[in-house]
PDB file of all heavy atoms in Angstrom:
ATOM      1  N   GLU A 629     107.507  -4.789 162.320  1.00  0.00           N
ATOM      2  CA  GLU A 629     107.364  -3.877 163.419  1.00  0.00           C
ATOM      3  C   GLU A 629     107.802  -4.526 164.738  1.00  0.00           C
ATOM      4  O   GLU A 629     108.344  -3.871 165.622  1.00  0.00           O
ATOM      5  CB  GLU A 629     105.920  -3.424 163.539  1.00  0.00           C
ATOM      6  CG  GLU A 629     105.456  -2.587 162.333  1.00  0.00           C
ATOM      7  CD  GLU A 629     103.961  -2.331 162.395  1.00  0.00           C
ATOM      8  OE1 GLU A 629     103.463  -1.973 163.476  1.00  0.00           O
ATOM      9  OE2 GLU A 629     103.295  -2.500 161.352  1.00  0.00           O
ATOM     10  N   GLU A 630     107.509  -5.845 164.876  1.00  0.00           N
ATOM     11  CA  GLU A 630     107.852  -6.541 166.136  1.00  0.00           C
ATOM     12  C   GLU A 630     109.339  -6.843 166.207  1.00  0.00           C
ATOM     13  O   GLU A 630     109.934  -6.951 167.285  1.00  0.00           O
ATOM     14  CB  GLU A 630     107.075  -7.835 166.239  1.00  0.00           C
ATOM     15  CG  GLU A 630     105.565  -7.565 166.450  1.00  0.00           C
ATOM     16  CD  GLU A 630     104.770  -8.886 166.466  1.00  0.00           C
ATOM     17  OE1 GLU A 630     105.295  -9.927 165.979  1.00  0.00           O
ATOM     18  OE2 GLU A 630     103.649  -8.881 167.000  1.00  0.00           O
ATOM     19  N   GLU A 631     110.018  -6.963 165.043  1.00  0.00           N
ATOM     20  CA  GLU A 631     111.443  -7.321 165.019  1.00  0.00           C
ATOM     21  C   GLU A 631     112.340  -6.111 165.112  1.00  0.00           C
ATOM     22  O   GLU A 631     113.393  -6.158 165.756  1.00  0.00           O
ATOM     23  CB  GLU A 631     111.753  -8.108 163.744  1.00  0.00           C
ATOM     24  CG  GLU A 631     113.213  -8.437 163.526  1.00  0.00           C
ATOM     25  CD  GLU A 631     113.491  -9.049 162.169  1.00  0.00           C
ATOM     26  OE1 GLU A 631     112.552  -9.268 161.393  1.00  0.00           O
ATOM     27  OE2 GLU A 631     114.667  -9.326 161.878  1.00  0.00           O
ATOM     28  N   VAL A 632     111.947  -5.012 164.474  1.00  0.00           N
ATOM     29  CA  VAL A 632     112.823  -3.875 164.271  1.00  0.00           C
ATOM     30  C   VAL A 632     112.398  -2.702 165.198  1.00  0.00           C
ATOM     31  O   VAL A 632     111.212  -2.468 165.375  1.00  0.00           O
ATOM     32  CB  VAL A 632     112.816  -3.395 162.817  1.00  0.00           C
ATOM     33  CG1 VAL A 632     113.698  -2.167 162.647  1.00  0.00           C
ATOM     34  CG2 VAL A 632     113.255  -4.519 161.889  1.00  0.00           C
ATOM     35  N   ASP A 633     113.406  -2.041 165.783  1.00  0.00           N
ATOM     36  CA  ASP A 633     113.144  -0.850 166.585  1.00  0.00           C
ATOM     37  C   ASP A 633     112.897   0.345 165.664  1.00  0.00           C
ATOM     38  O   ASP A 633     113.765   1.198 165.465  1.00  0.00           O
ATOM     39  CB  ASP A 633     114.343  -0.586 167.490  1.00  0.00           C
ATOM     40  CG  ASP A 633     114.182   0.685 168.306  1.00  0.00           C
ATOM     41  OD1 ASP A 633     113.051   1.073 168.607  1.00  0.00           O
ATOM     42  OD2 ASP A 633     115.219   1.274 168.654  1.00  0.00           O
ATOM     43  N   ILE A 634     111.694   0.357 165.028  1.00  0.00           N
ATOM     44  CA  ILE A 634     111.391   1.443 164.109  1.00  0.00           C
ATOM     45  C   ILE A 634     111.143   2.729 164.940  1.00  0.00           C
ATOM     46  O   ILE A 634     110.300   2.758 165.816  1.00  0.00           O
ATOM     47  CB  ILE A 634     110.134   1.110 163.263  1.00  0.00           C
ATOM     48  CG1 ILE A 634     110.363  -0.172 162.480  1.00  0.00           C
ATOM     49  CG2 ILE A 634     109.807   2.271 162.326  1.00  0.00           C
ATOM     50  CD1 ILE A 634     109.178  -0.616 161.677  1.00  0.00           C
ATOM     51  N   ARG A 635     111.886   3.745 164.607  1.00  0.00           N
ATOM     52  CA  ARG A 635     111.853   4.987 165.427  1.00  0.00           C
ATOM     53  C   ARG A 635     110.770   5.920 164.950  1.00  0.00           C
ATOM     54  O   ARG A 635     110.642   6.181 163.751  1.00  0.00           O
ATOM     55  CB  ARG A 635     113.194   5.703 165.375  1.00  0.00           C
ATOM     56  CG  ARG A 635     114.366   4.842 165.822  1.00  0.00           C
ATOM     57  CD  ARG A 635     114.167   4.300 167.222  1.00  0.00           C
ATOM     58  NE  ARG A 635     114.047   5.336 168.213  1.00  0.00           N
ATOM     59  CZ  ARG A 635     113.593   5.182 169.476  1.00  0.00           C
ATOM     60  NH1 ARG A 635     113.180   3.985 169.832  1.00  0.00           N
ATOM     61  NH2 ARG A 635     113.545   6.188 170.281  1.00  0.00           N
ATOM     62  N   PRO A 636     109.930   6.452 165.850  1.00  0.00           N
ATOM     63  CA  PRO A 636     108.933   7.455 165.456  1.00  0.00           C
ATOM     64  C   PRO A 636     109.548   8.838 165.402  1.00  0.00           C
ATOM     65  O   PRO A 636     110.706   9.038 165.731  1.00  0.00           O
ATOM     66  CB  PRO A 636     107.922   7.348 166.620  1.00  0.00           C
ATOM     67  CG  PRO A 636     108.796   7.029 167.793  1.00  0.00           C
ATOM     68  CD  PRO A 636     109.859   6.110 167.284  1.00  0.00           C
ATOM     69  N   ALA A 637     108.755   9.793 164.926  1.00  0.00           N
ATOM     70  CA  ALA A 637     109.202  11.182 164.863  1.00  0.00           C
ATOM     71  C   ALA A 637     108.510  11.985 165.975  1.00  0.00           C
ATOM     72  O   ALA A 637     107.343  11.830 166.251  1.00  0.00           O
ATOM     73  CB  ALA A 637     108.878  11.800 163.514  1.00  0.00           C
ATOM     74  N   GLU A 638     109.313  12.844 166.614  1.00  0.00           N
ATOM     75  CA  GLU A 638     108.766  13.807 167.566  1.00  0.00           C
ATOM     76  C   GLU A 638     108.830  15.185 166.898  1.00  0.00           C
ATOM     77  O   GLU A 638     109.693  15.451 166.069  1.00  0.00           O
ATOM     78  CB  GLU A 638     109.583  13.795 168.836  1.00  0.00           C
ATOM     79  CG  GLU A 638     109.616  12.446 169.551  1.00  0.00           C
ATOM     80  CD  GLU A 638     110.535  12.408 170.722  1.00  0.00           C
ATOM     81  OE1 GLU A 638     110.844  13.513 171.266  1.00  0.00           O
ATOM     82  OE2 GLU A 638     110.990  11.331 171.119  1.00  0.00           O
ATOM     83  N   THR A 639     107.880  16.051 167.256  1.00  0.00           N
ATOM     84  CA  THR A 639     107.805  17.375 166.657  1.00  0.00           C
ATOM     85  C   THR A 639     108.237  18.445 167.640  1.00  0.00           C
ATOM     86  O   THR A 639     107.789  18.414 168.795  1.00  0.00           O
ATOM     87  CB  THR A 639     106.393  17.677 166.156  1.00  0.00           C
ATOM     88  OG1 THR A 639     106.021  16.745 165.141  1.00  0.00           O
ATOM     89  CG2 THR A 639     106.294  19.093 165.585  1.00  0.00           C
ATOM     90  N   ILE A 640     109.072  19.367 167.197  1.00  0.00           N
ATOM     91  CA  ILE A 640     109.400  20.564 167.971  1.00  0.00           C
ATOM     92  C   ILE A 640     109.267  21.756 167.059  1.00  0.00           C
ATOM     93  O   ILE A 640     109.315  21.661 165.822  1.00  0.00           O
ATOM     94  CB  ILE A 640     110.800  20.517 168.609  1.00  0.00           C
ATOM     95  CG1 ILE A 640     111.868  20.447 167.509  1.00  0.00           C
ATOM     96  CG2 ILE A 640     110.922  19.343 169.554  1.00  0.00           C
ATOM     97  CD1 ILE A 640     113.290  20.549 168.069  1.00  0.00           C
ATOM     98  N   TRP A 641     109.085  22.919 167.652  1.00  0.00           N
ATOM     99  CA  TRP A 641     108.992  24.171 166.886  1.00  0.00           C
ATOM    100  C   TRP A 641     110.092  25.119 167.352  1.00  0.00           C
ATOM    101  O   TRP A 641     110.331  25.253 168.541  1.00  0.00           O
ATOM    102  CB  TRP A 641     107.627  24.852 167.090  1.00  0.00           C
ATOM    103  CG  TRP A 641     106.478  24.082 166.480  1.00  0.00           C
ATOM    104  CD1 TRP A 641     105.795  23.048 167.057  1.00  0.00           C
ATOM    105  CD2 TRP A 641     105.928  24.275 165.190  1.00  0.00           C
ATOM    106  NE1 TRP A 641     104.838  22.568 166.202  1.00  0.00           N
ATOM    107  CE2 TRP A 641     104.907  23.319 165.031  1.00  0.00           C
ATOM    108  CE3 TRP A 641     106.215  25.149 164.143  1.00  0.00           C
ATOM    109  CZ2 TRP A 641     104.131  23.191 163.885  1.00  0.00           C
ATOM    110  CZ3 TRP A 641     105.468  25.042 162.991  1.00  0.00           C
ATOM    111  CH2 TRP A 641     104.447  24.111 162.846  1.00  0.00           C
ATOM    112  N   VAL A 642     110.778  25.715 166.388  1.00  0.00           N
ATOM    113  CA  VAL A 642     111.873  26.650 166.711  1.00  0.00           C
ATOM    114  C   VAL A 642     111.600  27.968 166.078  1.00  0.00           C
ATOM    115  O   VAL A 642     110.903  28.068 165.056  1.00  0.00           O
ATOM    116  CB  VAL A 642     113.259  26.084 166.239  1.00  0.00           C
ATOM    117  CG1 VAL A 642     113.566  24.771 166.940  1.00  0.00           C
ATOM    118  CG2 VAL A 642     113.270  25.907 164.734  1.00  0.00           C
ATOM    119  N   ASP A 643     112.207  29.018 166.656  1.00  0.00           N
ATOM    120  CA  ASP A 643     112.016  30.373 166.130  1.00  0.00           C
ATOM    121  C   ASP A 643     112.883  30.569 164.889  1.00  0.00           C
ATOM    122  O   ASP A 643     114.082  30.282 164.920  1.00  0.00           O
ATOM    123  CB  ASP A 643     112.372  31.406 167.179  1.00  0.00           C
ATOM    124  CG  ASP A 643     111.431  31.402 168.359  1.00  0.00           C
ATOM    125  OD1 ASP A 643     110.242  31.082 168.105  1.00  0.00           O
ATOM    126  OD2 ASP A 643     111.836  31.686 169.489  1.00  0.00           O
ATOM    127  N   GLY A 644     112.297  31.070 163.815  1.00  0.00           N
ATOM    128  CA  GLY A 644     113.056  31.353 162.606  1.00  0.00           C
ATOM    129  C   GLY A 644     113.090  32.850 162.318  1.00  0.00           C
ATOM    130  O   GLY A 644     112.790  33.668 163.203  1.00  0.00           O
ATOM    131  N   ALA A 645     113.458  33.212 161.110  1.00  0.00           N
ATOM    132  CA  ALA A 645     113.574  34.620 160.749  1.00  0.00           C
ATOM    133  C   ALA A 645     112.190  35.282 160.711  1.00  0.00           C
ATOM    134  O   ALA A 645     111.185  34.639 160.448  1.00  0.00           O
ATOM    135  CB  ALA A 645     114.258  34.765 159.374  1.00  0.00           C
ATOM    136  N   ASP A 646     112.185  36.584 160.972  1.00  0.00           N
ATOM    137  CA  ASP A 646     110.978  37.403 160.897  1.00  0.00           C
ATOM    138  C   ASP A 646     109.854  36.853 161.802  1.00  0.00           C
ATOM    139  O   ASP A 646     108.680  37.027 161.473  1.00  0.00           O
ATOM    140  CB  ASP A 646     110.485  37.487 159.453  1.00  0.00           C
ATOM    141  CG  ASP A 646     111.516  38.112 158.525  1.00  0.00           C
ATOM    142  OD1 ASP A 646     112.221  39.047 158.993  1.00  0.00           O
ATOM    143  OD2 ASP A 646     111.610  37.679 157.364  1.00  0.00           O
ATOM    144  N   GLY A 647     110.224  36.230 162.872  1.00  0.00           N
ATOM    145  CA  GLY A 647     109.231  35.740 163.834  1.00  0.00           C
ATOM    146  C   GLY A 647     108.459  34.545 163.364  1.00  0.00           C
ATOM    147  O   GLY A 647     107.449  34.174 163.997  1.00  0.00           O
TER     148      GLY A 647
END
Side-chain angles (χ1 to χ4, degrees):
E629 295 172 45
E630 292 177 341
E631 176 187 356
V632 179
D633 177 28
I634 301 177
R635 303 304 298 166
E638 301 173 22
T639 297
I640 62 174
W641 292 85
V642 299
D643 294 329
D646 300 324

